[in-house]
Amino acid sequence: MPDTKRTATGVLGGLAGLVGLSAAAGVLIAATVTPAVALTSTAAERAITMFDNLPSVLEIDKLMLPSNFYYTDPATGQPQLMTQFLEQDRTPVNFDQINPVMYDALLSSEDPRYYQHGGIDLIGTTRALLSNAQGGGETQGGSSVSQQYVKNVLIQKCEQNAETVYETDKDGNRVLDEATGQDKVKLTSEQALRQCWVDATTAEGSEGYSRKLQEMRYAIALEQKYSKNDILLGYMNIANFGGITYGIEAAARHYFNTTAANLTVAQAATLAGMVQNPNNYRIDRPGGSIFASDGTSFNKAPDGVIDEGAKLGVLDSLVASGEITEEQKLAAADGYTSTKVRQLYVLSRMLDDGKITREQYVEAAVWPISPDVVEPKTGCANAGGAAYFCQYVKYVILNDAAFGETPDARRDTLQRGGLNVYTTLDPRVQGPAEQAMATYAPSYIEMRQGTTLPNTGRFGSTTVSIEAGSGRVLSMAQNTQFSEDAANSDDWNYSAQVYAGDQTYGNSKGFSAGSTFKLFTLLDWLEKGKSVNETLNGTLRVFKKMTYCGQTSATGATKPTGNFGGDRGRMGTPMQFTASSLNTGYLAMAEKLDYCDIGKVATKMGVIDTYENEPVDMNTLNSVIGTESVSPLAMAEAYATVANNGTYCQPKVIDRVTDSEGSDLPVPQRTCSQVLDPKVAATAAYALQGVMNGGTGAQGKPRDNVPLIGKTGTHEELQSWLIESSTKVATATWAGNVQGGGDIFKTYTADGLRLADIRYRVTRDVQGAANAAYGGDRFASPDADLTKQVLTDLPNVVGKSVDEATKILTDAGFTVEVGGPVDSDQPAGVVAAQNPGAGKVAGGSTVTINPSNGEGIAVPDVSGRSLDDAKKALRSAGFGNVGDGTCTADASLGAQTKAGATNPGAGSVVNRNASITVDYAAAVCGGGGGRGGNNGGGNG
């Protein structure tokens, strides 16, 4: 542990306070600025006044710290690091978390009188000022640790404000580069950061004096406010150790895979030697960290050659004393020679100061510098299979005002703000999601060319799971490998896009939803009070009209919208249409709805058109069946809303955020709200369960007994979906074309799995894992009114013109077919018959109407007349083919006959040339005015 007592010999250094030291500083500056002029008391007084007037209050900002992303281990409840975001890799530690030998190494080499002076080491400072007065180069060192701490604080202040500087015109407007169309950059943010270091360390002439004096002034004030140990610890946590490595804890981890508390003497001396010129002496560049003008590299990893000109007198003396061998010397000096020279200097100072023994000195000197480099776990590329979940979280931070008012402020917060971001990721679901993607979905596959789009298809797939009752995103996995490296932009195995997200949160434009989008038609149907058991005409036909925002107009369709597999459709109910995903069935439902209302259902459930990045505009017939591009995450939440009894919870990926000290910070606002009547949600769930129980989604059902709702979807041969949900967790899986027109139904993986069927395997495994972790309850019972059997009134159109009858039936929701003419007493062209007849029938039924041919005559009622009179009456009515029918014996009639029924019967309308027979009664059948039985002749 360093000596913390200030001795009497330090009185001169401290000068018993600020006034004495100010006077000394004033004399020093006067002497260096006016060397040829005798220093008068007046000049000294003025110099003292100048020094006193320098700013003395240095505001020490919070350190620039990495932001950490965590997930919670369900087994322990403890946070686990996912990754970090940083500009400076730094992990602050407390004073007692650093091995005392590190303090000794630093102070012996940089400020041996640290605990004796009052912030400025006058001996070292005087030497530096006199050297600088001679000019000709960079300012001389000699700063105390307090001054070096001040310098680092000032550098960090500069770095925190460093940003890209653009060229502007005389009016202050940015100048555009004509070649690129982008703003011309005068100074990049990286250049601005480097300039902060240059300005603080290499200012020449009067600027150098001013900087040194300001550092001295701040250092004096600093020591009046903070203890020596606090300042020393502050320096240890802020100092740069090369590249983005800042602070002793990060340096110990990065270079030696250890902690500051466990540094050895040799390691501590190595790190202490680096602070003088961190980037020159860094030991994580095997190819060298120092380069000559001709490109020759120095300070390399061991290569059997010691750098020319290396001052290895310490090792030579140890060889001469017999304490080490020549071989040991060569081994010690071979690797990172320049850094070794600095380390040997530090060790010598430590030995001279009595901080280490001779034995420790020799052991450390002979030790070959052996880095065990651990690169910082930074960025989403280091989040493993959770990289796309990580990227989504990053997009939330970069776009949400909770983390800053401007994009630049939010990016700075992420990179420098020391946030602890506790995410919603659940490894119990995320792990199986990653495994499913790795097992079933290739990162790249050459697809067969489809017929819808002419360009080559790029395959992609993603799966995302969300907690229904909270909106917490539990998992997100993708088939590609994560990379933001521009060198990988043309390699389809890599992507930085989050396929599960949208343009704001993922840089993705989404994918056509196919039949999963039918959910919103089903919900609007139910919200309008319609039953899922109402019978509709779902046959293959042309839908000629649609209602859009209150206006009914022609669809412009000239041919039917097809069904999957060439299904011709059928009369059926929304229950049946949902289970079988029948396009024409859903178009029949939408025919009775307003397309605008369907779009509004999607909007209130968080689904937007991700391609246009605006609310869904359902202005085409086929938008009902999912032509719009949507986000898999949004669709998962929509189905979760149904499973959650109609309560929509905005997706959230962040549970909690704290600062570096553990204090809670604001998080993005996410809310839950009731957007569906629970009766509507329950009835929709009732219909959607049919999809998973024997319907199109059955292949993706996990092998457990957890009740599920779900829906499949395809868009042409391009996209495929499966979304399913328990009452606890919803999972959406998409597999298809990120771009282009590959045929996923005719392309198979190396394992023989059709790309269009990946959705079943992935969703089954992921939802199964979610069910195992979260379970699931029975869904609420459907509403009785929304499940009742429904028949529709069919009007009577007999006697109407064909056009009038067609309009009446069409307006009532029926499909009309005009059959051939029929015999009727109606005028020619007037509807004479309809099938089915007027009454209660299934809604949307096809009604066949037949016009009259004008050749029909109604058979008159001739019963009770004599047979002859009856036949005369029929001939008089216009029938030309009249004969006797069946005779029935009746002795009471004597010589009379009595007509009975005709065939066809009275009132029938038949063609005038039709055969009409008259049944009759007579005393004796077989003669006398009538034909007996069936064999009688005569015509009466």
Short mmCIF file of all heavy atoms in Angstrom, two decimals, residues 341-363:
data_model
loop_
_atom_site.label_atom_id
_atom_site.label_comp_id
_atom_site.label_asym_id
_atom_site.label_seq_id
_atom_site.Cartn_x
_atom_site.Cartn_y
_atom_site.Cartn_z
N VAL A 341 11.26 -2.25 -22.22
CA VAL A 341 12.18 -1.22 -21.74
C VAL A 341 11.47 -0.33 -20.71
O VAL A 341 12.03 0.00 -19.67
CB VAL A 341 12.71 -0.39 -22.92
CG1 VAL A 341 13.49 0.83 -22.41
CG2 VAL A 341 13.60 -1.25 -23.82
N ARG A 342 10.23 0.06 -21.01
CA ARG A 342 9.48 0.89 -20.06
C ARG A 342 9.21 0.12 -18.78
O ARG A 342 9.31 0.67 -17.68
CB ARG A 342 8.14 1.30 -20.69
CG ARG A 342 8.23 2.45 -21.66
CD ARG A 342 8.61 3.75 -20.98
NE ARG A 342 7.65 4.12 -19.95
CZ ARG A 342 7.90 4.99 -18.97
NH1 ARG A 342 9.10 5.56 -18.85
NH2 ARG A 342 6.97 5.28 -18.07
N GLN A 343 8.89 -1.16 -18.89
CA GLN A 343 8.63 -1.96 -17.70
C GLN A 343 9.88 -2.04 -16.81
O GLN A 343 9.80 -1.94 -15.58
CB GLN A 343 8.17 -3.37 -18.10
CG GLN A 343 7.83 -4.26 -16.91
CD GLN A 343 8.29 -5.69 -17.10
OE1 GLN A 343 9.37 -5.92 -17.69
NE2 GLN A 343 7.52 -6.62 -16.59
N LEU A 344 11.03 -2.23 -17.45
CA LEU A 344 12.28 -2.33 -16.69
C LEU A 344 12.57 -1.03 -15.95
O LEU A 344 13.07 -1.03 -14.81
CB LEU A 344 13.44 -2.68 -17.62
CG LEU A 344 13.37 -4.09 -18.24
CD1 LEU A 344 14.48 -4.25 -19.29
CD2 LEU A 344 13.49 -5.16 -17.16
N TYR A 345 12.24 0.11 -16.60
CA TYR A 345 12.41 1.40 -15.93
C TYR A 345 11.53 1.47 -14.68
O TYR A 345 11.97 1.88 -13.61
CB TYR A 345 12.07 2.53 -16.89
CG TYR A 345 11.92 3.87 -16.19
CD1 TYR A 345 13.05 4.60 -15.78
CD2 TYR A 345 10.65 4.40 -15.92
CE1 TYR A 345 12.91 5.82 -15.13
CE2 TYR A 345 10.51 5.62 -15.26
CZ TYR A 345 11.64 6.31 -14.87
OH TYR A 345 11.51 7.52 -14.21
N VAL A 346 10.27 1.06 -14.83
CA VAL A 346 9.35 1.09 -13.70
C VAL A 346 9.85 0.18 -12.59
O VAL A 346 9.84 0.56 -11.40
CB VAL A 346 7.93 0.67 -14.15
CG1 VAL A 346 7.00 0.58 -12.94
CG2 VAL A 346 7.38 1.65 -15.17
N LEU A 347 10.31 -1.01 -12.93
CA LEU A 347 10.80 -1.95 -11.92
C LEU A 347 12.01 -1.38 -11.18
O LEU A 347 12.13 -1.53 -9.95
CB LEU A 347 11.16 -3.29 -12.58
CG LEU A 347 9.98 -4.12 -13.09
CD1 LEU A 347 10.49 -5.30 -13.93
CD2 LEU A 347 9.12 -4.62 -11.93
N SER A 348 12.87 -0.70 -11.93
CA SER A 348 14.05 -0.09 -11.28
C SER A 348 13.64 0.99 -10.30
O SER A 348 14.19 1.10 -9.19
CB SER A 348 14.98 0.50 -12.35
OG SER A 348 15.47 -0.52 -13.19
N ARG A 349 12.67 1.80 -10.67
CA ARG A 349 12.20 2.85 -9.76
C ARG A 349 11.55 2.22 -8.52
O ARG A 349 11.72 2.72 -7.41
CB ARG A 349 11.17 3.73 -10.48
CG ARG A 349 11.71 4.49 -11.68
CD ARG A 349 12.83 5.45 -11.29
NE ARG A 349 12.37 6.37 -10.28
CZ ARG A 349 13.15 6.97 -9.37
NH1 ARG A 349 14.46 6.71 -9.36
NH2 ARG A 349 12.64 7.81 -8.49
N MET A 350 10.81 1.14 -8.71
CA MET A 350 10.17 0.47 -7.58
C MET A 350 11.21 -0.12 -6.64
O MET A 350 11.07 -0.05 -5.41
CB MET A 350 9.23 -0.65 -8.08
CG MET A 350 8.02 -0.15 -8.85
SD MET A 350 7.03 -1.50 -9.52
CE MET A 350 6.25 -2.12 -8.01
N LEU A 351 12.25 -0.67 -7.22
CA LEU A 351 13.33 -1.23 -6.39
C LEU A 351 14.03 -0.12 -5.61
O LEU A 351 14.28 -0.25 -4.40
CB LEU A 351 14.33 -1.98 -7.27
CG LEU A 351 15.51 -2.63 -6.54
CD1 LEU A 351 15.01 -3.73 -5.59
CD2 LEU A 351 16.52 -3.21 -7.54
N ASP A 352 14.34 0.99 -6.29
CA ASP A 352 15.00 2.11 -5.64
C ASP A 352 14.15 2.69 -4.51
O ASP A 352 14.69 3.15 -3.48
CB ASP A 352 15.31 3.22 -6.66
CG ASP A 352 16.37 2.80 -7.67
OD1 ASP A 352 17.07 1.79 -7.41
OD2 ASP A 352 16.48 3.46 -8.72
N ASP A 353 12.82 2.67 -4.70
CA ASP A 353 11.92 3.23 -3.70
C ASP A 353 11.60 2.23 -2.59
O ASP A 353 10.83 2.55 -1.67
CB ASP A 353 10.61 3.68 -4.35
CG ASP A 353 10.79 4.92 -5.21
OD1 ASP A 353 11.85 5.56 -5.12
OD2 ASP A 353 9.87 5.24 -6.00
N GLY A 354 12.15 1.02 -2.72
CA GLY A 354 11.90 0.02 -1.69
C GLY A 354 10.51 -0.60 -1.75
O GLY A 354 10.04 -1.17 -0.77
N LYS A 355 9.87 -0.50 -2.90
CA LYS A 355 8.52 -1.05 -3.02
C LYS A 355 8.52 -2.55 -3.32
O LYS A 355 7.51 -3.21 -3.11
CB LYS A 355 7.75 -0.30 -4.12
CG LYS A 355 7.63 1.19 -3.88
CD LYS A 355 6.90 1.50 -2.56
CE LYS A 355 6.72 3.01 -2.39
NZ LYS A 355 6.07 3.32 -1.10
N ILE A 356 9.61 -3.04 -3.88
CA ILE A 356 9.73 -4.48 -4.13
C ILE A 356 11.11 -4.94 -3.68
O ILE A 356 12.06 -4.14 -3.56
CB ILE A 356 9.54 -4.81 -5.63
CG1 ILE A 356 10.52 -4.01 -6.51
CG2 ILE A 356 8.11 -4.59 -6.06
CD1 ILE A 356 10.47 -4.40 -8.00
N THR A 357 11.22 -6.24 -3.47
CA THR A 357 12.50 -6.84 -3.07
C THR A 357 13.34 -7.11 -4.31
O THR A 357 12.85 -7.08 -5.44
CB THR A 357 12.28 -8.16 -2.33
OG1 THR A 357 11.71 -9.10 -3.24
CG2 THR A 357 11.35 -7.97 -1.13
N ARG A 358 14.64 -7.40 -4.05
CA ARG A 358 15.53 -7.74 -5.17
C ARG A 358 15.02 -8.99 -5.88
O ARG A 358 15.06 -9.06 -7.12
CB ARG A 358 16.94 -7.98 -4.63
CG ARG A 358 17.97 -8.32 -5.69
CD ARG A 358 18.37 -7.09 -6.46
NE ARG A 358 19.30 -7.39 -7.55
CZ ARG A 358 19.82 -6.48 -8.35
NH1 ARG A 358 19.48 -5.19 -8.19
NH2 ARG A 358 20.65 -6.80 -9.31
N GLU A 359 14.54 -9.92 -5.14
CA GLU A 359 14.04 -11.17 -5.72
C GLU A 359 12.85 -10.90 -6.63
O GLU A 359 12.76 -11.42 -7.74
CB GLU A 359 13.66 -12.15 -4.61
CG GLU A 359 13.15 -13.48 -5.14
CD GLU A 359 12.75 -14.43 -4.02
OE1 GLU A 359 12.85 -14.03 -2.84
OE2 GLU A 359 12.32 -15.56 -4.32
N GLN A 360 11.91 -10.04 -6.17
CA GLN A 360 10.76 -9.69 -7.00
C GLN A 360 11.20 -8.93 -8.26
O GLN A 360 10.65 -9.13 -9.34
CB GLN A 360 9.78 -8.82 -6.20
CG GLN A 360 9.02 -9.55 -5.11
CD GLN A 360 8.17 -8.60 -4.29
OE1 GLN A 360 8.68 -7.57 -3.80
NE2 GLN A 360 6.90 -8.93 -4.13
N TYR A 361 12.19 -8.10 -8.08
CA TYR A 361 12.72 -7.31 -9.18
C TYR A 361 13.28 -8.21 -10.27
O TYR A 361 12.95 -8.05 -11.45
CB TYR A 361 13.80 -6.37 -8.63
CG TYR A 361 14.61 -5.65 -9.67
CD1 TYR A 361 14.07 -4.61 -10.42
CD2 TYR A 361 15.96 -5.99 -9.88
CE1 TYR A 361 14.83 -3.95 -11.36
CE2 TYR A 361 16.73 -5.32 -10.82
CZ TYR A 361 16.16 -4.30 -11.57
OH TYR A 361 16.92 -3.63 -12.50
N VAL A 362 14.13 -9.16 -9.88
CA VAL A 362 14.73 -10.06 -10.86
C VAL A 362 13.66 -10.92 -11.54
O VAL A 362 13.67 -11.12 -12.76
CB VAL A 362 15.80 -10.94 -10.18
CG1 VAL A 362 16.33 -11.99 -11.17
CG2 VAL A 362 16.94 -10.08 -9.65
N GLU A 363 12.73 -11.44 -10.74
CA GLU A 363 11.68 -12.30 -11.28
C GLU A 363 10.85 -11.56 -12.32
O GLU A 363 10.51 -12.11 -13.38
CB GLU A 363 10.79 -12.80 -10.16
CG GLU A 363 9.66 -13.71 -10.62
CD GLU A 363 8.74 -14.13 -9.48
OE1 GLU A 363 8.92 -13.65 -8.35
OE2 GLU A 363 7.80 -14.92 -9.74
#
